[in-house]
């Protein structure tokens, strides 16, 4: 009975939504005789719904940058609802008006909306037909956002039909208008791979990873630490693919940097998951350092050890933290420049604090664990400028932060 009731309620909501949409469109159609302004209001509503559908398609592409996106459109309820909403609005419009009546008023955005619906329903040939049968006057007046909508729909239709050269050329035009657009970069890279142009695919994945990393940095600055993590993680996935599958060793340092970014974001949330990523960054950077003991590699590795010490200190593990601080000092000291003495002094201070806390924890009557954790938090706060100073690991910079 409960299931039947839920079904009835869901159907009722669908019928109400259809009624509301129908009333809105009927009013717009009746007002159409008043000119383009009335139609424009209806067009804006439809474009908004189409943008929701396209955004969800884009999110699916960006969520799995190494997948060729052949599994079909998203299947979640929100996406299906948005597609149904767009379909109903467009169907109601075509029911009340013929193509000849619509075309003089049709904007580039409305045509892109119809093509977006076709793409969402996997009707890629229909999408290309819609885009080919357009209003030249409207296209010539299209603003940059409408041109982006048209190019995205066009590229997605070619991509769905596996017409790689046409899809690639369209995504390149889209990127000329909006550089670093994640989904366009992702699909352009897959087009290159499908065409056997591996070096160009690698370069495109490199640009994509850098754009994802920068987006993560931007979110960190806004204190949206949890939101930054998926971007850092996607960059890491891409760099892992380039190193392990494409055998591109030049991305090894960037991979270490991504692990460090992920660890830092976890540490800012006081999440113990930071430790595993610091360890990954240490292992990768140690291999690079052992191949050539350069000052820049030593500085990068010392910084990761210091950050790992911070994480361990925040987790109440001062003995383990002291080990990492000592390694940071051993790596940093031989290469320290005069203007870096203050940074080295910070690490020495951190080591002394960790050793004191470690000794105190072995004497419970002298310093309680609760008080030790309080000292850890205080020590951690004072170390942020050292841990997060601007470093360059390969081609991808880590973020400069100051928690003061």
């Amino acid at each position: 009975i409960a299931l039947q009731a839920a079904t009835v309620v869901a159907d009722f909501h669908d019928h109400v939504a259809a009624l509301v949409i129908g009333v809105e469109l009927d009013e717009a159609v009746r007002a159409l005789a008043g000119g383009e302004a009335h139609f424009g209001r209806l067009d804006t509503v439809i474009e908004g719904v189409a943008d929701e559908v396209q955004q969800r398609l884009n999110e699916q592409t960006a969520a799995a940058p190494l997948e060729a996106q052949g599994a079909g459109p998203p299947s979640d309820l929100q996406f299906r609802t948005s597609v149904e909403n767009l379909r109903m609005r467009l169907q109601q419009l075509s029911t009340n008006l013929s193509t000849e009546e619509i075309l003089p008023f049709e904007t580039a955005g409305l045509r892109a909306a119809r093509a977006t619906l076709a793409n969402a329903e996997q009707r890629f040939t229909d999408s290309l037909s819609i885009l080919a049968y357009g209003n030249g006057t409207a296209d010539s007046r299209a603003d940059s956002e409408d041109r982006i909508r048209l190019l995205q729909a066009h590229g997605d239709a070619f991509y769905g039909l596996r017409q790689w050269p046409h899809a690639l050329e369209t995504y390149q035009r889209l990127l000329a208008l909006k550089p670093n657009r994640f989904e366009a970069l992702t699909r352009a890279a897959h087009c290159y791979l499908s065409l056997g142009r591996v070096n160009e695919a690698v370069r495109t994945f490199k640009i994509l990873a850098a754009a994802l990393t920068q987006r993560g940095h931007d979110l960190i600055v806004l204190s949206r630490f949890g939101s930054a993590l998926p971007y850092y993680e996607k960059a890491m996935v891409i760099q892992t693919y380039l190193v392990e599958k494409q055998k591109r060793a030049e991305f090894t340092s960037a991979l270490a940097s991504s692990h460090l970014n992920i660890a830092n974001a976890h540490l800012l949330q006081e999440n113990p998951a930071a430790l595993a990523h610091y360890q990954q960054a240490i292992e990768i950077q140690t291999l690079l350092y052992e191949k050539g003991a350069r000052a820049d590699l030593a500085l990068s590795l010392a910084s990761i050890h210091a950050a790992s010490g911070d994480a361990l200190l925040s987790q109440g593990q001062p003995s383990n933290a002291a080990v990492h601080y000592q390694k940071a000092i051993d790596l940093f000291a031989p290469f320290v420049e005069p203007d870096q003495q203050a940074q080295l002094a910070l690490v020495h201070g951190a080591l002394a604090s960790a050793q004191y806390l470690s000794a105190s924890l072995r004497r419970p009557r002298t310093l309680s664990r609760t008080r030790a954790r309080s000292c850890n938090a205080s020590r951690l706060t004072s170390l942020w400028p050292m841990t997060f100073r601007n470093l360059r690991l390969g081609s991808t910079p880590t973020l400069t932060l100051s928690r003061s």
Side-chain angles (χ1 to χ4, degrees):
I1 295 175
L3 179 61
Q4 292 175 345
T7 303
V8 169
V9 170
D11 289 343
F12 174 73
H13 286 167
D14 289 342
H15 290 309
V16 169
L19 177 61
V20 170
I21 293 170
V23 170
E24 289 175 354
L25 289 165
D26 286 342
E27 290 178 352
V29 169
R30 286 196 299 272
L32 188 57
E36 187 175 356
H38 295 288
F39 193 85
R41 287 194 290 272
L42 172 62
D43 181 29
T44 300
V45 173
I46 291 177
E47 285 181 12
V49 179
D51 285 345
E52 292 177 7
V53 173
Q54 185 63 59
Q55 178 62 30
R56 188 65 187 87
L57 291 170
N58 292 347
E59 288 171 357
Q60 183 195 39
T61 300
L66 296 182
E67 294 182 9
Q69 309 301 327
S75 58
D76 59 277
L77 179 60
Q78 182 180 357
F79 176 75
R80 296 200 308 270
T81 301
S82 296
V83 169
E84 183 60 27
N85 188 359
L86 180 58
R87 183 190 301 114
M88 291 173 67
R89 290 180 182 276
L90 290 172
Q91 284 179 345
Q92 186 68 30
L93 181 63
S94 61
T95 298
N96 286 276
L97 293 171
S98 66
T99 301
E100 290 72 19
E101 291 174 308
I102 294 174
L103 191 57
F105 296 97
E106 185 181 57
T107 65
L110 182 56
R111 189 152 54 90
R114 294 197 291 127
T116 297
L117 175 62
N119 286 336
E121 296 176 334
Q122 306 278 281
R123 296 184 290 106
F124 301 117
T125 301
D126 290 347
S127 178
L128 291 178
S129 298
I130 291 166
L131 293 164
Y133 182 64
N135 183 334
T137 302
D139 285 358
S140 66
R141 296 194 313 232
D143 59 22
S144 60
E145 287 302 314
D146 278 344
R147 287 198 296 274
I148 288 171
R149 291 184 180 106
L150 288 169
L151 287 169
Q152 184 74 62
H154 225 137
D156 291 353
F158 283 131
Y159 190 92
L161 293 170
R162 298 178 179 271
Q163 296 183 18
W164 311 124
H166 294 307
L168 177 59
E169 187 271 336
T170 306
Y171 289 131
Q172 288 172 332
R173 289 169 57 197
L174 174 56
L175 289 166
L177 284 176
K178 197 160 186 176
N180 295 335
R181 190 176 173 99
F182 300 145
E183 61 279 359
L185 284 168
T186 300
R187 290 200 158 181
H190 285 293
C191 288
Y192 280 126
L193 286 177
S194 298
L195 292 167
R197 296 162 65 177
V198 177
N199 288 337
E200 289 159 298
V202 168
R203 283 196 292 271
T204 306
F205 276 128
K206 177 183 177 180
I207 295 169
L208 175 59
L212 289 165
T213 298
Q214 185 57 55
R215 178 57 177 157
H217 290 349
D218 294 341
L219 290 166
I220 290 286
V221 170
L222 296 173
S223 297
R224 295 172 59 187
F225 311 131
S227 299
L229 271 171
Y231 293 96
Y232 290 144
E233 289 167 347
K234 290 170 193 171
M236 180 197 68
V237 168
I238 291 169
Q239 290 153 353
T240 301
Y241 163 78
L242 293 175
V243 171
E244 296 182 357
K245 300 297 184 182
Q246 292 295 334
K247 308 301 181 184
R248 302 298 178 111
E250 64 268 28
F251 293 99
T252 304
S253 193
L255 176 58
S257 180
S258 284
H259 278 290
L260 181 57
N261 287 328
I262 293 169
N264 289 343
H266 279 304
L267 183 57
L268 286 165
Q269 300 175 89
E270 300 182 4
N271 188 332
L275 296 173
H277 286 283
Y278 281 131
Q279 187 58 40
Q280 285 288 323
I282 287 171
E283 290 175 5
I284 295 170
Q285 200 67 18
T286 298
L287 290 174
L288 291 173
Y289 177 69
E290 289 174 348
K291 291 180 180 178
R294 301 198 318 263
D296 59 330
L297 295 176
L299 180 63
S300 296
L301 183 54
S303 176
I304 301 171
H305 274 294
S308 186
D310 292 352
L312 288 162
L313 200 60
S314 72
Q315 295 297 315
Q317 302 181 48
S319 296
N320 292 332
V323 172
H324 284 277
Y325 289 137
Q326 186 61 62
K327 288 182 178 178
I329 291 169
D330 293 343
L331 287 161
F332 194 16
F335 301 100
V336 68
E337 300 290 339
D339 61 348
Q340 296 173 326
Q341 290 292 340
Q343 294 176 330
L344 182 58
L346 274 175
V347 187
H348 276 290
L351 174 61
S353 294
Q355 290 171 336
Y356 171 75
L357 289 169
S358 179
S360 298
L361 286 174
R362 291 195 293 270
R363 299 191 301 273
R365 293 181 181 178
T366 305
L367 184 70
S368 69
R369 183 171 294 273
T370 301
R371 185 181 170 197
R373 288 184 181 277
S374 175
C375 291
N376 291 349
S378 175
R379 179 71 255 168
L380 180 63
T381 300
S382 70
L383 285 173
W384 287 128
M386 169 62 192
T387 303
F388 294 104
R389 68 184 179 280
N390 192 22
L391 296 174
R392 287 189 176 273
L393 304 184
S395 60
T396 306
T398 56
L399 186 64
T400 301
L401 291 178
S402 179
R403 188 164 176 170
S404 56

